[in-house]
mmCIF file of all heavy atoms in Angstrom:
data_model
loop_
_atom_site.group_PDB
_atom_site.id
_atom_site.type_symbol
_atom_site.label_atom_id
_atom_site.label_comp_id
_atom_site.label_asym_id
_atom_site.label_seq_id
_atom_site.Cartn_x
_atom_site.Cartn_y
_atom_site.Cartn_z
ATOM 1 N N ARG A 1 117.964 75.105 80.525
ATOM 2 C CA ARG A 1 116.709 75.767 80.906
ATOM 3 C C ARG A 1 115.803 75.954 79.710
ATOM 4 O O ARG A 1 114.597 75.837 79.795
ATOM 5 C CB ARG A 1 117.008 77.084 81.615
ATOM 6 C CG ARG A 1 117.440 76.860 83.058
ATOM 7 C CD ARG A 1 118.215 78.033 83.632
ATOM 8 N NE ARG A 1 118.542 77.831 85.023
ATOM 9 C CZ ARG A 1 119.415 76.953 85.489
ATOM 10 N NH1 ARG A 1 120.059 76.156 84.674
ATOM 11 N NH2 ARG A 1 119.674 76.849 86.776
ATOM 12 N N GLY A 2 116.378 76.210 78.575
ATOM 13 C CA GLY A 2 115.607 76.333 77.353
ATOM 14 C C GLY A 2 114.927 75.033 76.971
ATOM 15 O O GLY A 2 113.799 75.015 76.485
ATOM 16 N N LYS A 3 115.588 73.929 77.234
ATOM 17 C CA LYS A 3 115.033 72.606 76.909
ATOM 18 C C LYS A 3 113.817 72.273 77.743
ATOM 19 O O LYS A 3 113.041 71.420 77.358
ATOM 20 C CB LYS A 3 116.088 71.530 77.046
ATOM 21 C CG LYS A 3 117.167 71.593 75.976
ATOM 22 C CD LYS A 3 118.237 70.549 76.167
ATOM 23 C CE LYS A 3 119.273 70.650 75.067
ATOM 24 N NZ LYS A 3 120.345 69.663 75.251
ATOM 25 N N VAL A 4 113.661 72.928 78.887
ATOM 26 C CA VAL A 4 112.479 72.693 79.721
ATOM 27 C C VAL A 4 111.475 73.822 79.578
ATOM 28 O O VAL A 4 110.548 73.953 80.373
ATOM 29 C CB VAL A 4 112.839 72.456 81.222
ATOM 30 C CG1 VAL A 4 113.636 71.175 81.368
ATOM 31 C CG2 VAL A 4 113.548 73.635 81.822
ATOM 32 N N GLY A 5 111.668 74.651 78.564
ATOM 33 C CA GLY A 5 110.670 75.651 78.215
ATOM 34 C C GLY A 5 110.792 76.996 78.876
ATOM 35 O O GLY A 5 109.859 77.805 78.827
ATOM 36 N N ILE A 6 111.901 77.283 79.521
ATOM 37 C CA ILE A 6 112.057 78.602 80.153
ATOM 38 C C ILE A 6 112.272 79.655 79.069
ATOM 39 O O ILE A 6 113.173 79.538 78.233
ATOM 40 C CB ILE A 6 113.187 78.599 81.201
ATOM 41 C CG1 ILE A 6 112.796 77.678 82.346
ATOM 42 C CG2 ILE A 6 113.500 80.003 81.684
ATOM 43 C CD1 ILE A 6 113.836 77.521 83.421
ATOM 44 N N SER A 7 111.423 80.643 79.093
ATOM 45 C CA SER A 7 111.432 81.690 78.083
ATOM 46 C C SER A 7 112.788 82.389 78.010
ATOM 47 O O SER A 7 113.400 82.682 79.022
ATOM 48 C CB SER A 7 110.335 82.714 78.435
ATOM 49 O OG SER A 7 110.383 83.826 77.577
ATOM 50 N N ASN A 8 113.240 82.662 76.790
ATOM 51 C CA ASN A 8 114.421 83.448 76.511
ATOM 52 C C ASN A 8 115.749 82.750 76.856
ATOM 53 O O ASN A 8 116.818 83.322 76.687
ATOM 54 C CB ASN A 8 114.339 84.795 77.226
ATOM 55 C CG ASN A 8 115.102 85.880 76.500
ATOM 56 O OD1 ASN A 8 115.229 85.857 75.293
ATOM 57 N ND2 ASN A 8 115.617 86.836 77.245
ATOM 58 N N ALA A 9 115.685 81.516 77.339
ATOM 59 C CA ALA A 9 116.917 80.832 77.790
ATOM 60 C C ALA A 9 117.843 80.527 76.612
ATOM 61 O O ALA A 9 119.050 80.679 76.743
ATOM 62 C CB ALA A 9 116.586 79.563 78.548
ATOM 63 N N PHE A 10 117.303 80.115 75.489
ATOM 64 C CA PHE A 10 118.157 79.831 74.338
ATOM 65 C C PHE A 10 118.844 81.088 73.817
ATOM 66 O O PHE A 10 119.982 81.036 73.364
ATOM 67 C CB PHE A 10 117.376 79.159 73.199
ATOM 68 C CG PHE A 10 117.038 77.710 73.469
ATOM 69 C CD1 PHE A 10 115.720 77.273 73.386
ATOM 70 C CD2 PHE A 10 118.016 76.784 73.815
ATOM 71 C CE1 PHE A 10 115.395 75.953 73.620
ATOM 72 C CE2 PHE A 10 117.686 75.473 74.070
ATOM 73 C CZ PHE A 10 116.379 75.046 73.960
ATOM 74 N N VAL A 11 118.185 82.217 73.938
ATOM 75 C CA VAL A 11 118.801 83.487 73.534
ATOM 76 C C VAL A 11 120.025 83.766 74.410
ATOM 77 O O VAL A 11 121.090 84.143 73.904
ATOM 78 C CB VAL A 11 117.770 84.656 73.630
ATOM 79 C CG1 VAL A 11 118.454 85.996 73.419
ATOM 80 C CG2 VAL A 11 116.645 84.438 72.649
ATOM 81 N N GLN A 12 119.881 83.553 75.699
ATOM 82 C CA GLN A 12 120.996 83.761 76.624
ATOM 83 C C GLN A 12 122.120 82.753 76.337
ATOM 84 O O GLN A 12 123.299 83.132 76.338
ATOM 85 C CB GLN A 12 120.535 83.628 78.070
ATOM 86 C CG GLN A 12 119.612 84.742 78.526
ATOM 87 C CD GLN A 12 120.305 86.083 78.490
ATOM 88 O OE1 GLN A 12 121.435 86.214 78.947
ATOM 89 N NE2 GLN A 12 119.653 87.080 77.928
ATOM 90 N N ALA A 13 121.759 81.490 76.114
ATOM 91 C CA ALA A 13 122.766 80.478 75.812
ATOM 92 C C ALA A 13 123.567 80.898 74.574
ATOM 93 O O ALA A 13 124.809 80.832 74.563
ATOM 94 C CB ALA A 13 122.107 79.121 75.582
ATOM 95 N N ARG A 14 122.850 81.371 73.555
ATOM 96 C CA ARG A 14 123.519 81.797 72.318
ATOM 97 C C ARG A 14 124.521 82.925 72.585
ATOM 98 O O ARG A 14 125.634 82.914 72.042
ATOM 99 C CB ARG A 14 122.499 82.228 71.295
ATOM 100 C CG ARG A 14 123.076 82.546 69.939
ATOM 101 C CD ARG A 14 122.004 82.812 68.886
ATOM 102 N NE ARG A 14 121.034 81.747 68.770
ATOM 103 C CZ ARG A 14 121.236 80.578 68.159
ATOM 104 N NH1 ARG A 14 122.399 80.340 67.613
ATOM 105 N NH2 ARG A 14 120.289 79.662 68.104
ATOM 106 N N LEU A 15 124.172 83.883 73.427
ATOM 107 C CA LEU A 15 125.073 85.003 73.732
ATOM 108 C C LEU A 15 126.370 84.536 74.359
ATOM 109 O O LEU A 15 127.456 84.977 73.986
ATOM 110 C CB LEU A 15 124.366 86.010 74.659
ATOM 111 C CG LEU A 15 123.217 86.796 74.066
ATOM 112 C CD1 LEU A 15 122.509 87.598 75.156
ATOM 113 C CD2 LEU A 15 123.697 87.698 72.953
ATOM 114 N N PHE A 16 126.259 83.622 75.341
ATOM 115 C CA PHE A 16 127.467 83.149 76.011
ATOM 116 C C PHE A 16 128.305 82.248 75.127
ATOM 117 O O PHE A 16 129.546 82.351 75.110
ATOM 118 C CB PHE A 16 127.125 82.490 77.341
ATOM 119 C CG PHE A 16 126.662 83.461 78.366
ATOM 120 C CD1 PHE A 16 125.335 83.459 78.796
ATOM 121 C CD2 PHE A 16 127.523 84.406 78.888
ATOM 122 C CE1 PHE A 16 124.889 84.390 79.727
ATOM 123 C CE2 PHE A 16 127.088 85.326 79.832
ATOM 124 C CZ PHE A 16 125.780 85.324 80.242
ATOM 125 N N TYR A 17 127.645 81.365 74.373
ATOM 126 C CA TYR A 17 128.404 80.527 73.431
ATOM 127 C C TYR A 17 129.093 81.385 72.371
ATOM 128 O O TYR A 17 130.233 81.120 72.009
ATOM 129 C CB TYR A 17 127.499 79.524 72.739
ATOM 130 C CG TYR A 17 126.996 78.383 73.600
ATOM 131 C CD1 TYR A 17 125.787 77.765 73.327
ATOM 132 C CD2 TYR A 17 127.722 77.893 74.696
ATOM 133 C CE1 TYR A 17 125.313 76.708 74.060
ATOM 134 C CE2 TYR A 17 127.249 76.837 75.459
ATOM 135 C CZ TYR A 17 126.034 76.244 75.128
ATOM 136 O OH TYR A 17 125.565 75.194 75.877
ATOM 137 N N GLN A 18 128.387 82.405 71.885
ATOM 138 C CA GLN A 18 128.957 83.250 70.839
ATOM 139 C C GLN A 18 130.192 83.991 71.339
ATOM 140 O O GLN A 18 131.203 84.100 70.634
ATOM 141 C CB GLN A 18 127.931 84.267 70.345
ATOM 142 C CG GLN A 18 128.381 85.046 69.116
ATOM 143 C CD GLN A 18 128.544 84.162 67.900
ATOM 144 O OE1 GLN A 18 127.590 83.514 67.470
ATOM 145 N NE2 GLN A 18 129.740 84.093 67.341
ATOM 146 N N ARG A 19 130.120 84.478 72.576
ATOM 147 C CA ARG A 19 131.290 85.177 73.139
ATOM 148 C C ARG A 19 132.504 84.257 73.174
ATOM 149 O O ARG A 19 133.598 84.632 72.769
ATOM 150 C CB ARG A 19 130.971 85.702 74.536
ATOM 151 C CG ARG A 19 132.195 86.359 75.150
ATOM 152 C CD ARG A 19 131.928 87.087 76.404
ATOM 153 N NE ARG A 19 133.204 87.672 76.861
ATOM 154 C CZ ARG A 19 133.431 88.103 78.060
ATOM 155 N NH1 ARG A 19 132.461 88.097 78.946
ATOM 156 N NH2 ARG A 19 134.583 88.586 78.396
ATOM 157 N N ALA A 20 132.297 83.029 73.656
ATOM 158 C CA ALA A 20 133.394 82.088 73.747
ATOM 159 C C ALA A 20 133.866 81.662 72.359
ATOM 160 O O ALA A 20 135.073 81.524 72.116
ATOM 161 C CB ALA A 20 132.996 80.874 74.590
ATOM 162 N N CYS A 21 132.948 81.486 71.447
ATOM 163 C CA CYS A 21 133.310 81.117 70.072
ATOM 164 C C CYS A 21 134.145 82.216 69.426
ATOM 165 O O CYS A 21 135.160 81.928 68.803
ATOM 166 C CB CYS A 21 132.045 80.850 69.251
ATOM 167 S SG CYS A 21 132.352 80.366 67.555
ATOM 168 N N ASP A 22 133.725 83.442 69.619
ATOM 169 C CA ASP A 22 134.468 84.574 69.058
ATOM 170 C C ASP A 22 135.892 84.649 69.596
ATOM 171 O O ASP A 22 136.778 85.185 68.936
ATOM 172 C CB ASP A 22 133.751 85.898 69.366
ATOM 173 C CG ASP A 22 132.455 86.050 68.595
ATOM 174 O OD1 ASP A 22 132.206 85.277 67.632
ATOM 175 O OD2 ASP A 22 131.669 86.965 68.946
ATOM 176 N N GLU A 23 136.113 84.092 70.791
ATOM 177 C CA GLU A 23 137.444 84.091 71.388
ATOM 178 C C GLU A 23 138.206 82.807 71.050
ATOM 179 O O GLU A 23 139.292 82.571 71.578
ATOM 180 C CB GLU A 23 137.328 84.238 72.916
ATOM 181 C CG GLU A 23 136.836 85.592 73.348
ATOM 182 C CD GLU A 23 137.832 86.710 73.028
ATOM 183 O OE1 GLU A 23 139.049 86.475 73.125
ATOM 184 O OE2 GLU A 23 137.374 87.806 72.654
ATOM 185 N N GLY A 24 137.624 81.964 70.178
ATOM 186 C CA GLY A 24 138.343 80.796 69.706
ATOM 187 C C GLY A 24 138.092 79.496 70.435
ATOM 188 O O GLY A 24 138.832 78.535 70.245
ATOM 189 N N THR A 25 137.050 79.441 71.251
ATOM 190 C CA THR A 25 136.724 78.216 71.981
ATOM 191 C C THR A 25 135.860 77.311 71.100
ATOM 192 O O THR A 25 134.671 77.588 70.915
ATOM 193 C CB THR A 25 136.018 78.542 73.303
ATOM 194 O OG1 THR A 25 136.828 79.449 74.050
ATOM 195 C CG2 THR A 25 135.768 77.280 74.123
ATOM 196 N N LYS A 26 136.479 76.296 70.512
ATOM 197 C CA LYS A 26 135.809 75.463 69.504
ATOM 198 C C LYS A 26 134.525 74.836 70.020
ATOM 199 O O LYS A 26 133.525 74.789 69.302
ATOM 200 C CB LYS A 26 136.761 74.394 69.002
ATOM 201 C CG LYS A 26 136.142 73.560 67.886
ATOM 202 C CD LYS A 26 137.068 72.465 67.433
ATOM 203 C CE LYS A 26 136.499 71.582 66.338
ATOM 204 N NZ LYS A 26 135.118 71.267 66.359
ATOM 205 N N ILE A 27 134.530 74.327 71.246
ATOM 206 C CA ILE A 27 133.329 73.669 71.744
ATOM 207 C C ILE A 27 132.127 74.629 71.776
ATOM 208 O O ILE A 27 131.006 74.230 71.514
ATOM 209 C CB ILE A 27 133.547 73.002 73.112
ATOM 210 C CG1 ILE A 27 132.382 72.076 73.438
ATOM 211 C CG2 ILE A 27 133.755 74.030 74.207
ATOM 212 C CD1 ILE A 27 132.648 71.087 74.526
ATOM 213 N N ALA A 28 132.400 75.906 72.037
ATOM 214 C CA ALA A 28 131.334 76.890 72.028
ATOM 215 C C ALA A 28 130.781 77.065 70.611
ATOM 216 O O ALA A 28 129.573 77.180 70.428
ATOM 217 C CB ALA A 28 131.834 78.215 72.588
ATOM 218 N N CYS A 29 131.663 77.068 69.631
ATOM 219 C CA CYS A 29 131.222 77.175 68.230
ATOM 220 C C CYS A 29 130.361 75.972 67.862
ATOM 221 O O CYS A 29 129.340 76.113 67.193
ATOM 222 C CB CYS A 29 132.418 77.288 67.303
ATOM 223 S SG CYS A 29 133.496 78.703 67.612
ATOM 224 N N ASP A 30 130.790 74.788 68.313
ATOM 225 C CA ASP A 30 130.027 73.578 68.026
ATOM 226 C C ASP A 30 128.653 73.623 68.694
ATOM 227 O O ASP A 30 127.653 73.225 68.106
ATOM 228 C CB ASP A 30 130.788 72.347 68.510
ATOM 229 C CG ASP A 30 132.084 72.105 67.719
ATOM 230 O OD1 ASP A 30 132.219 72.650 66.603
ATOM 231 O OD2 ASP A 30 132.926 71.363 68.237
ATOM 232 N N LYS A 31 128.580 74.122 69.930
ATOM 233 C CA LYS A 31 127.324 74.197 70.641
ATOM 234 C C LYS A 31 126.379 75.188 69.997
ATOM 235 O O LYS A 31 125.156 74.979 69.989
ATOM 236 C CB LYS A 31 127.561 74.550 72.113
ATOM 237 C CG LYS A 31 128.169 73.422 72.908
ATOM 238 C CD LYS A 31 128.506 73.840 74.327
ATOM 239 C CE LYS A 31 129.073 72.688 75.110
ATOM 240 N NZ LYS A 31 128.062 71.890 75.790
ATOM 241 N N LEU A 32 126.913 76.258 69.419
ATOM 242 C CA LEU A 32 126.066 77.232 68.713
ATOM 243 C C LEU A 32 125.309 76.575 67.584
ATOM 244 O O LEU A 32 124.137 76.888 67.346
ATOM 245 C CB LEU A 32 126.934 78.340 68.148
ATOM 246 C CG LEU A 32 127.248 79.508 69.049
ATOM 247 C CD1 LEU A 32 128.304 80.397 68.388
ATOM 248 C CD2 LEU A 32 126.009 80.311 69.393
#
C-alpha cells in the first residue's frame, strides 16, 4: 500500500516487520 502512495502505510509495515524481527524472524529483519 505504501508503494502506491497510501499515507502512513510504510510506518505500519515497519511496525509489523519490527515486531517479527525482534522475535527472531530473519525475513522480517531483511524486509526492514
Side-chain angles (χ1 to χ4, degrees):
R1 282 158 176 71
K3 290 178 180 178
V4 295
I6 294 177
S7 174
N8 209 30
F10 286 126
V11 172
Q12 292 296 314
R14 186 173 306 284
L15 291 172
F16 289 111
Y17 288 153
Q18 189 66 59
R19 177 171 181 197
C21 181
D22 290 347
E23 292 293 324
T25 305
K26 184 183 179 322
I27 193 163
C29 300
D30 294 341
K31 288 175 178 272
L32 274 171

